[in-house]
């Protein structure tokens, strides 16, 4: 199964580029930028990854960003993720970035997006991995700040495929960002939002992303299973759900393998993703592996999960079909 998962062509649709910052790179950038880290070694930094819920994770995640200062830092961060992704047979990725995590530290929007974009271009050319970029707003900041950042992105619309919403969901419902997402839609961007697992008012929030924001995808969204009517809407709209098993194990103490099985049974387009792989110490293959081990998923089920990611990716039909053909060929050979 390990071999089958490793060699399977995959897409990743839910990965925060800042969440791919490996401790070794963190130390290298801290040295270059003359930033003092409160740890003596990368191992000590990993040992301090003590998260048990969303807020305790976010605290460490935002502190980690402090070493990212120059365009070349964002380039290196992105390049190293894409290099790792290519080595895991990820052929296509949609990357989130959190500009407010940088502009609030005095790093210009232009610096961030240019570094990321250049690495994406080079990775396509040199590693053959295709990727797109999603601007994520921090929902614990104001709607005005989100709007300001959307406007900062206007000169770079060609570099973006969509907008998302992440960070602390408590008291920060989707509706808070209705105007920002409406403008992003007008500008031709795709829309997605995090509906993190086991959050307060989660069913209300999932309802809002479906009915008020009218998203094109939902990040996590696992709790939708508690409502038959939400499941029906998600299915009718053919919306993808980007589930992140190992991340869930950290923040809600469950890999949600039962829930992922249920999604498949209901015909929902669940996909498997790594979220913040450097922090959760698991990239996409490790997520598939953990899920398979716990839930005893068959090869056919794993192929369905991988296929769902290509189906709900923000690609044109021709590109989707080409990736799906590649996956089908792989499946036929591997299952035969
Ligand atoms: Zn996420």
């Amino acid at each position: 199964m390990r071999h089958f998962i490793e060699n399977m062509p995959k897409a990743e649709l839910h990965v925060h580029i800042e969440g791919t910052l490996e401790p070794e790179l963190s130390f290298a950038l801290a040295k270059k930028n003359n930033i003092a880290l409160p740890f003596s070694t990368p191992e000590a930094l990993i040992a301090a990854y003590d998260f048990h819920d969303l807020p305790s994770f976010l605290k460490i995640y935002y502190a980690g960003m402090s070493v990212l200062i120059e365009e070349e830092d964002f380039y290196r961060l992105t390049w190293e993720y894409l290099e790792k992704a290519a080595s895991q047979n990820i052929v296509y990725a949609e990357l989130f970035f959190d500009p407010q995590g940088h502009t609030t530290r005095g790093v210009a929007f232009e610096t961030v997006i240019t570094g990321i974009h250049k690495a994406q271009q080079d990775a396509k050319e040199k590693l053959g991995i295709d990727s797109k970029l999603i601007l994520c707003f921090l929902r614990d900041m104001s709607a005005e700040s989100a709007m300001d950042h959307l406007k900062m992105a206007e000169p770079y619309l060609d570099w973006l495929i969509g907008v998302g919403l992440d960070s602390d969901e408590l008291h920060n419902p989707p509706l808070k960002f209705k105007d920002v997402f409406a403008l992003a839609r007008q500008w031709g961007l795709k829309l997605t939002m995090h509906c993190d697992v086991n959050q307060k008012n989660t069913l209300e929030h999932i309802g809002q992303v479906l009915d008020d924001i009218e998203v094109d995808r939902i990040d996590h969204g696992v709790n939708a299973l508690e409502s038959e009517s939400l499941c029906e809407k998600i299915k009718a709209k053919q919306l993808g759900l980007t589930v992140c098993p190992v991340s869930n194990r950290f923040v809600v103490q469950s890999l949600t393998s039962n829930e992922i099985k249920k999604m498949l049974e209901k015909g929902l387009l669940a996909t498997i993703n790594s979220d913040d792989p450097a922090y959760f110490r698991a990239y996409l293959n490790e997520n598939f592996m953990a899920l398979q081990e716990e839930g005893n998923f068959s090869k056919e089920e794993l192929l369905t999960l991988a296929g769902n990611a290509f189906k709900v990716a923000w690609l044109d039909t021709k590109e989707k079909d080409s990736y799906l053909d590649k996956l089908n060929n792989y499946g036929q050979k591997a299952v035969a």
Side-chain angles (χ1 to χ4, degrees):
M1 269 301 186
R2 172 179 291 271
H3 198 66
F4 175 77
I5 288 168
E6 283 173 355
N7 290 313
M8 182 165 66
K10 292 170 289 285
E12 171 142 75
L13 305 179
H14 184 158
V15 57
H16 301 269
I17 200 65
E18 294 89 348
T20 71
L21 178 62
E22 286 289 337
E24 289 76 13
L25 179 57
S26 198
F27 269 73
L29 295 178
K31 194 174 169 205
K32 177 179 89 65
N33 293 327
N34 281 317
I35 291 166
L37 289 177
F39 303 100
S40 54
T41 61
E43 291 72 28
L45 176 59
I46 294 171
Y49 289 171
D50 171 29
F51 8 87
H52 46 276
D53 57 16
L54 190 55
S56 60
F57 164 72
L58 290 170
K59 200 173 154 215
I60 292 169
Y61 172 71
Y62 292 126
M65 291 183 191
S66 65
V67 298
L68 297 161
I69 307 287
E70 297 179 303
E71 184 186 305
E72 65 181 83
D73 306 343
F74 291 93
Y75 179 96
R76 199 164 156 196
L77 174 73
T78 308
W79 172 263
E80 290 193 6
Y81 164 72
L82 289 169
E83 203 171 36
K84 177 78 180 175
S87 80
Q88 292 211 341
N89 282 311
I90 295 173
V91 291
Y92 175 74
E94 289 175 9
L95 317 173
F96 290 125
F97 78 120
D98 285 328
Q100 288 156 299
H102 311 299
T103 54
T104 49
R105 301 181 290 112
V107 179
F109 184 90
E110 183 187 6
T111 303
V112 180
I113 197 168
T114 307
I116 297 172
H117 180 73
K118 283 183 181 168
Q120 287 181 278
Q121 281 184 311
D122 283 354
K124 186 166 185 178
E125 194 182 308
K126 293 174 188 160
L127 304 169
I129 178 169
D130 195 11
S131 65
K132 290 186 177 156
L133 190 59
I134 303 169
L135 189 169
C136 245
F137 304 109
L138 301 183
R139 66 198 308 160
D140 39 7
M141 293 186 70
S142 67
E144 291 72 25
S145 171
M147 189 61 98
D148 288 345
H149 284 76
L150 181 62
K151 288 181 179 162
M152 283 178 209
E154 200 174 0
Y156 306 98
L157 287 181
D158 287 351
W159 295 358
L160 293 173
I161 185 71
V163 292
L165 186 70
D166 63 7
S167 202
D168 198 349
E169 193 167 328
L170 186 65
H171 308 309
N172 295 302
L175 270 182
K176 176 176 164 186
F177 299 94
K178 195 166 190 272
D179 294 345
V180 182
F181 277 69
L183 181 60
R185 164 83 78 208
Q186 251 183 49
W187 285 357
L189 294 167
K190 297 277 191 185
L191 313 183
T192 185
M193 283 187 168
H194 278 52
C195 292
D196 273 277
V197 186
N198 296 353
Q199 298 293 301
K200 200 177 172 198
N201 305 325
T202 183
L203 297 185
E204 200 184 304
H205 290 183
I206 297 171
Q208 289 178 11
V209 303
L210 291 168
D211 298 331
D212 300 302
I213 311 295
E214 299 188 76
V215 291
D216 301 291
R217 195 153 76 208
I218 298 176
D219 298 311
H220 299 290
V222 175
N223 294 86
L225 288 168
E226 294 160 21
S227 157
E228 207 46 57
S229 71
L230 289 178
C231 286
E232 275 167 25
K233 271 185 199 168
I234 291 168
K235 197 173 165 180
K237 292 184 175 205
Q238 296 273 294
L239 293 186
L241 299 166
T242 64
V243 187
C244 308
V246 176
S247 161
N248 290 337
R249 191 168 62 194
F250 273 98
V251 297
V252 296
Q253 292 74 49
S254 163
L255 271 184
T256 59
S257 59
N258 290 332
E259 288 81 356
I260 293 165
K261 282 238 162 153
K262 261 188 220 143
M263 288 174 183
L264 292 183
E265 280 162 23
K266 285 178 176 289
L268 298 177
L269 295 167
T271 68
I272 304 304
N273 306 271
S274 71
D275 210 1
D276 301 285
Y279 289 92
F280 301 131
R281 313 308 296 154
Y283 284 80
L284 188 54
N285 283 350
E286 291 75 30
N287 270 271
F288 268 103
M289 232 93 82
L291 186 70
Q292 200 282 323
E293 273 165 29
E294 185 179 282
N296 196 28
F297 282 67
S298 66
K299 285 182 179 172
E300 286 78 5
E301 286 171 318
L302 297 175
L303 287 165
T304 301
L305 289 165
N308 285 347
F310 292 117
K311 284 182 191 162
V312 303
W314 291 335
L315 291 164
D316 65 37
T317 312
K318 204 176 139 201
E319 288 171 309
K320 279 186 197 193
D321 288 347
S322 150
Y323 285 126
L324 284 166
D325 279 351
K326 199 172 169 175
L327 180 66
N328 288 340
N329 287 339
Y330 175 77
Q332 276 167 8
K333 276 185 208 141
V335 175

